[in-house]
Amino acid sequence: MRLVLLGPPGVGKGTQGRRLAAEHHWALISTGEILRDAVARKTSLGLEAQRCMEKGMLVPDDMMIGLVRDRSNEADADGRFVLDGFPRTVAQADALDSMLQSRGHRLDAVIGLEAPKEELVKRLSARRECPVCQRAYNRASAPPRDGRHCDDHPSVDLVQREDDAEATVRKRLEVYEKQTSPLLEYYRGQGRLREVKGLGSVDEVYRQLNRALGC
Ligand code: AMP
């Protein structure tokens, strides 16, 4: 399965992508996670990406396309991956098709996850994550067992992502509307889009996703 999860920040792409990848043994390619790791390691890509990420803006297409080209070519991603956070522009979607075509592959499915804007703002400001395993929690709806530490890393305090501050969240949603939401039409027009509501419990959304994927 070569799958793209599309949708606004906070809709649950990361949580659902992580679970799909773990349960179906697909590689998870989360461009946001790859970039945050590069920022933490202060690589040249990380330093350049950080300037865009802090402002809630997109990192340039050529950088992202190169990154996904390399990652999707690694052995674990051969034939089975879920892309979370890529493509985010029409140029990235075109590049993804060409890179897969050049390997004799194609995308099997594109899932569009949706939720109302105010729900996304609420979720993102309550979102916390484990800095070690990147597991996501929500202070209101999905807190960790002890309210503070990662369930899987009990000595590690959960943190808020810098770009989850409310002003940056609003900017990211604006950027999504302008630059990424046209991809819904792009894939719908090609008959490749399957739409799933990102509302309800994580388990419920996960069930709907599997139903939409026929697995
Ligand atoms: P995410 O974790 O997917 O919300 O991504 C966090 C940030 O990383 C975004 O707000 C962008 O600044 C950057 N980013 C992640 N994926 C992409 C992409 N495909 N194109 C451009 N920027 C990206």
Side-chain angles (χ1 to χ4, degrees):
M1 172 70 73
R2 297 183 189 90
L3 166 70
V4 162
L5 289 182
L6 201 60
V11 78
K13 302 185 299 298
T15 304
Q16 299 293 346
R18 179 172 288 269
R19 185 155 168 192
L20 282 168
E23 293 189 9
H24 296 293
H25 306 288
W26 302 334
L28 173 67
I29 305 182
S30 160
T31 47
E33 272 183 24
I34 297 173
L35 292 174
R36 281 187 289 282
D37 177 63
V39 169
R41 289 188 294 112
K42 298 189 169 40
T43 63
S44 57
L45 175 125
L47 294 173
E48 193 169 342
Q50 189 173 23
R51 286 197 288 274
C52 306
M53 294 167 79
E54 280 172 351
K55 296 187 211 129
M57 313 279 285
L58 295 186
V59 171
D61 283 337
D62 54 347
M63 201 190 264
M64 297 310 303
I65 291 165
L67 190 151
V68 169
R69 179 177 293 118
D70 293 346
R71 177 64 187 92
S72 62
N73 216 9
E74 286 175 23
D76 68 321
D78 188 35
R80 51 205 157 80
F81 60 72
V82 46
L83 270 168
D84 154 25
F86 185 96
R88 260 177 156 100
T89 63
V90 171
Q92 292 181 13
D94 283 337
L96 177 63
D97 276 343
S98 325
M99 80 178 77
L100 290 177
Q101 248 168 34
S102 72
R103 297 172 192 161
H105 297 160
R106 65 188 304 275
L107 271 182
D108 298 303
V110 178
I111 296 271
L113 275 171
E114 332 150 11
K117 187 169 167 186
E118 283 315 310
E119 170 69 19
L120 299 170
V121 174
K122 208 167 79 186
R123 278 190 200 175
L124 288 167
S125 40
R127 177 161 79 175
R128 297 292 180 273
E129 72 172 26
C130 171
V132 174
C133 67
Q134 280 77 46
R135 179 169 164 187
Y137 296 85
N138 183 293
R139 289 211 309 178
S141 60
R145 280 197 292 270
D146 73 357
R148 218 180 112 192
H149 303 96
C150 177
D151 292 347
D152 302 323
H153 299 94
S155 61
V156 177
D157 278 312
L158 300 181
V159 294
Q160 182 175 38
R161 271 172 51 173
E162 271 178 36
D163 59 353
D164 279 346
E166 185 165 340
T168 318
V169 161
R170 292 200 181 269
K171 180 70 194 168
R172 287 163 63 205
L173 288 169
E174 206 180 286
V175 166
Y176 172 80
E177 275 309 313
K178 267 206 204 114
Q179 294 181 262
T180 308
S181 69
L183 286 180
L184 294 170
E185 208 38 61
Y186 174 96
Y187 286 123
R188 194 179 287 123
Q190 299 174 352
R192 297 204 271 174
L193 184 70
R194 306 176 200 183
E195 288 170 88
V196 172
K197 292 243 173 302
L199 289 174
S201 70
V202 171
D203 286 348
E204 241 168 83
V205 177
Y206 187 66
R207 267 196 300 276
Q208 303 282 353
L209 269 173
N210 277 299
R211 198 166 305 139
L213 292 170
C215 52

